[in-house]
Amino acid sequence: MTKNSDKSNVGYTLFRPTGVKHEYPVVDLQNKQVTGTVSYKDKVYMTVVIDLKKDTVNIEGSIEDLKGISMDKESYIEMFISQAELFVENNISNPKNYYEQFK
């Protein structure tokens, strides 16, 4: 046994809202396009448009000012792409209503 094996891995993580929001203002099922936004204090910092038909992702803006209180850019892009696929594959045109059912 090493000396470090005696240390406990017990701990806790505190989750608290940061105020950073990600939303889906546009879900166009017919054209397979989804727009996701990252905002903070009513200001949109980044808009991501996913076009699943053309297999493209268009990014406008930056979340650099949110560093330390939000996910990184790549994580948001991956999340928006996976959510766009979920919405289109499951015919979900209103993500807000869809997620409300799980509360």
Side-chain angles (χ1 to χ4, degrees), residues 31-34 49-58:
N31 292 311
K32 298 184 178 184
Q33 294 177 338
V34 175
V49 180
I50 296 99
D51 188 323
L52 296 173
K53 271 187 180 178
K54 296 180 182 175
D55 195 28
T56 61
V57 177
N58 183 25

Side-chain angles (χ1 to χ4, degrees), residues 35-54:
T35 300
T37 60
V38 179
S39 61
Y40 180 68
K41 294 187 177 180
D42 297 323
K43 178 182 176 186
V44 175
Y45 284 82
M46 185 170 71
T47 301
V48 180
V49 180
I50 296 99
D51 188 323
L52 296 173
K53 271 187 180 178
K54 296 180 182 175

Side-chain angles (χ1 to χ4, degrees), residues 16-34:
R16 61 181 175 173
T18 62
V20 177
K21 296 180 184 177
H22 59 274
E23 299 174 303
Y24 302 90
V26 178
V27 177
D28 181 345
L29 296 174
Q30 184 175 359
N31 292 311
K32 298 184 178 184
Q33 294 177 338
V34 175

